[in-house]
Amino acid sequence: MLIDTHCHLDLLNYKKKFKNIEELLYLCKKNKFLYLLTVSINLKNFFNIFSRVSYIDIIKLSCGIHPYYTKNINKNDFLDLEKFISYNKIIAVGETGLDYEIKLNKEDKKKQIDMFFYHLYLSLKYKKPCIIHSRNCYKDTLNIIKKFDISSCGAVIHCYSYYNKKILSYFLDLGLYISFSGLITFKNNFLLQSIVKYIPLNRLLVETDSPYLSPVPYRGVNNNPLKIIFIFKKIAELKKISFYKVIQYNMKNFINLFKFK
């Protein structure tokens, strides 16, 4: 009963690997996938993927605006975002958050922060969990989350990448789930691998973030949900538990967090 808790099906290169999205979904069902949560990064992409796969039972959908796409936001984007999030088919808000990997000017930084605030507001309003992107900005991420009663809707830090155990404890203390990607399979990523050992099993989620971050032994090529198996295996190895136990907790935590019908 596999679940990819975060992927971008609209961004996969189907001409290179699969004939189309239907072939990928057929293979996922054949390989015992229960759900794929496809996460939008902007409203145009969301509308395209929603119109194509929203009727498919294996697919769950999230709607949001990634921090990379906040530079050109306008008033209509705020209105459209709420309209889409209100749809019953949408089980989560995001991907949203902050990314300070590249130095930002004050205006662009403010746009990221404003949009993050708005996503969290919508999460609480519609009681749907928030999928949070946070890179090189854990202090600002924490300070903003603390302004909301995040426990009433739930949230996950996706593609977790902070190496410090103290930072991890801050997120856990707020009740957040922590999701790991193919990053933990990279051979020299010892610090992040050590963090996996400290994650309580009841806060653990697993994702591919495909088409990005393909796990070892496929690093450097396009990723897809079928490769999540290598991430499960790495977590099992690091935590010294069975492979099936990781799969079981990922399924249980996904259902507990996203509470969809």
Side-chain angles (χ1 to χ4, degrees), residues 43 63 75-85:
L43 298 184
C63 181
K75 188 175 181 180
N76 288 334
D77 291 326
F78 285 85
L79 298 173
D80 289 342
L81 180 62
E82 179 165 10
K83 179 179 71 174
F84 292 145
I85 285 172

Side-chain angles (χ1 to χ4, degrees), residues 18-246:
F18 308 103
K19 291 178 183 178
N20 49 43
I21 194 170
E22 286 75 19
E23 183 185 9
L24 170 63
L25 296 179
Y26 167 78
L27 291 171
C28 285
K29 286 186 176 183
K30 189 176 179 180
N31 284 275
K32 309 297 184 186
F33 274 79
L34 186 61
Y35 298 116
L36 304 171
L37 176 54
T38 185
V39 179
S40 70
I41 56 174
N42 59 55
L43 298 184
K44 180 181 178 182
N45 284 41
F46 165 77
F47 184 78
N48 290 339
I49 197 71
F50 179 85
S51 61
R52 187 166 184 186
V53 301
S54 61
Y55 68 94
I56 299 173
D57 58 352
I58 194 175
I59 298 290
K60 298 300 174 184
L61 291 138
S62 178
C63 181
I65 300 174
H66 189 286
Y68 286 172
Y69 289 88
T70 58
K71 286 186 179 182
N72 299 314
I73 55 174
N74 56 53
K75 188 175 181 180
N76 288 334
D77 291 326
F78 285 85
L79 298 173
D80 289 342
L81 180 62
E82 179 165 10
K83 179 179 71 174
F84 292 145
I85 285 172
S86 70
Y87 292 174
N88 289 335
K89 285 279 187 178
I90 307 310
I91 70 166
V93 177
E95 165 177 2
T96 182
L98 307 173
D99 194 310
Y100 297 170
E101 183 73 9
I102 299 172
K103 191 172 182 180
L104 302 170
N105 60 43
K106 286 185 179 180
E107 182 182 358
D108 289 341
K109 188 174 182 180
K110 184 178 184 302
K111 285 181 178 179
Q112 281 196 17
I113 291 171
D114 288 347
M115 189 53 82
F116 187 22
F117 264 97
Y118 189 59
H119 280 77
L120 289 168
Y121 158 75
L122 293 176
S123 281
L124 266 67
K125 181 175 180 178
Y126 291 97
K127 302 298 180 186
K128 296 180 180 182
C130 195
I131 299 171
I132 299 171
H133 175 108
S134 178
R135 187 159 63 162
N136 286 6
C137 55
Y138 79 89
K139 287 184 180 178
D140 282 0
T141 303
L142 284 164
N143 288 336
I144 292 171
I145 293 172
K146 286 177 182 177
K147 297 181 186 296
F148 295 84
D149 179 19
I150 204 70
S151 61
S152 67
C153 60
V156 54
I157 303 293
H158 111 91
C159 195
Y160 193 82
S161 61
Y162 294 114
Y163 301 143
N164 189 299
K165 284 190 289 183
K166 198 165 187 179
I167 296 173
L168 173 65
S169 70
Y170 293 148
F171 287 119
L172 291 174
D173 289 346
L174 290 173
L176 274 68
Y177 287 78
I178 305 296
S179 180
F180 291 105
S181 68
L183 283 174
I184 65 164
T185 69
F186 296 178
K187 292 179 181 178
N188 295 324
N189 209 349
F190 304 117
L191 293 175
L192 188 59
Q193 289 170 2
S194 69
I195 289 295
V196 176
K197 300 173 185 178
Y198 296 97
I199 295 292
L201 286 172
N202 64 353
R203 300 287 192 84
L204 170 71
L205 289 172
V206 185
E207 64 174 277
T208 60
D209 199 23
S210 51
Y212 312 110
L213 304 176
S214 199
V216 173
Y218 294 100
R219 188 177 179 183
V221 301
N222 275 4
N223 199 3
N224 68 70
L226 295 167
K227 294 175 183 173
I228 199 169
I229 205 82
F230 298 98
I231 307 170
F232 282 126
K233 287 179 178 178
K234 189 64 179 179
I235 292 171
E237 174 193 322
L238 292 169
K239 295 187 79 66
K240 297 182 179 179
I241 59 177
S242 79
F243 167 73
Y244 297 102
K245 193 169 187 177
V246 180

